[in-house]
Amino acid sequence: MQLEDLRRDYLMGGLEEADLDADPISQFEHWLQQAIELQLKDPTAMTVATVDASGQPSQRIVLLKQVDARGFVFFTNYGSRKAQELSANHKISLHFPWHDIERQVKVCGVASKISAAESAKYFLSRPKESQLAAWASHQSHPVSTRQLLMQQVARMKEKFAKGDIPAPDFWGGFRVVPHEIEFWQGGANRLHDRFVYQREGDAWTIARLAP
């Protein structure tokens, strides 16, 4: 297989500034709703990129759980690599790859923990099995075998056999407040349409970028 020969054209349609909402969050919500209605697989899946103290970037796939005028929210173990890196460097980038509709969205901003009450409210909405997994897993830390992990899940299931499972104090949400959001629509002959919103005070500017 020759990787340099793998290519396809992007022919699903263009994007003009007149098509865009003046507010990037509203524009994002519109595109996300379209992705959901088209039944794309994992439409809320996003790459989360953080940077460690040495400047080494790291990425992983996380699910977006909330979005509104305040920003983008995801949840994680606060002992995980991404959470530890964000505690030292709040800068973050998100990327939504909607390949089937030839669209991408990139978000740059800063992340901070949401309140414990907000995290607890979401935690209680999760399936019980996911709640138990959050308690059992020391995310990003070495574990010798999967069997050991499952044994820890069993212990948590026994511990919380009665009543609601409380949210762990080591688990919760981050809210990403964006200062830059780029919308990308694939175009023929690699002439893609790209528009970037950049925050200036309380307002947003929009500029077309060369593909």
Side-chain angles (χ1 to χ4, degrees):
M1 180 176 63
Q2 299 298 316
L3 297 183
E4 61 266 28
D5 293 332
L6 293 178
R7 62 174 58 87
R8 67 182 179 89
D9 217 345
Y10 299 89
L11 303 171
M12 295 189 70
L15 184 64
E16 297 293 339
E17 185 170 347
D19 302 326
L20 299 172
D21 194 287
D23 178 70
I25 299 298
S26 296
Q27 180 63 37
F28 175 83
E29 290 175 325
H30 176 61
W31 271 21
L32 177 60
Q33 185 60 38
Q34 288 184 334
I36 293 170
E37 290 173 354
L38 290 168
Q39 299 183 335
L40 301 192
K41 183 176 290 186
D42 295 326
T44 61
M46 59 185 184
T47 301
V48 172
T50 57
V51 180
D52 69 13
S54 72
Q56 172 62 56
S58 179
Q59 302 178 32
R60 70 288 288 166
I61 301 296
V62 176
L63 298 181
L64 175 71
K65 288 302 178 182
Q66 298 171 17
V67 60
D68 57 30
R70 298 174 296 168
F72 301 77
V73 175
F74 66 91
F75 292 85
T76 187
N77 185 307
Y78 286 146
S80 66
R81 176 172 176 172
K82 58 183 160 310
Q84 292 299 305
E85 291 180 351
L86 286 172
S87 68
N89 183 344
H90 299 311
K91 295 180 180 179
I92 190 171
S93 182
L94 312 176
H95 177 253
F96 295 85
W98 295 322
H99 301 297
D100 289 348
I101 52 177
E102 300 175 355
R103 288 177 174 174
Q104 304 178 58
V105 178
K106 183 184 72 173
V107 178
C108 293
V110 294
S112 59
K113 291 180 181 179
I114 65 176
S115 70
E118 288 179 286
S119 292
K121 180 180 179 181
Y122 171 71
F123 184 83
L124 291 174
S125 75
R126 302 180 88 200
K128 187 173 183 178
E129 292 75 12
S130 295
Q131 294 175 345
L132 292 170
W135 273 99
S137 174
H138 297 288
Q139 194 175 86
S140 300
H141 291 73
V143 59
S144 57
T145 65
R146 182 173 181 82
Q147 182 181 10
L148 185 63
L149 177 62
M150 299 311 296
Q151 289 172 350
Q152 182 66 2
V153 172
R155 283 193 288 270
M156 293 299 104
K157 188 173 184 179
E158 182 178 356
K159 179 178 179 179
F160 298 115
K162 297 179 181 180
D164 291 335
I165 301 174
D169 58 6
F170 54 80
W171 185 97
F174 280 96
R175 175 172 287 110
V176 178
V177 177
H179 57 76
E180 179 181 302
I181 304 180
E182 180 185 328
F183 293 85
W184 183 101
Q185 176 73 62
N189 302 313
R190 297 299 185 267
L191 296 176
H192 312 303
D193 290 307
R194 299 172 58 193
F195 287 92
V196 61
Y197 292 73
Q198 293 182 312
R199 189 191 295 272
E200 292 189 0
D202 294 330
W204 291 89
T205 63
I206 306 176
R208 177 184 278 274
L209 300 178

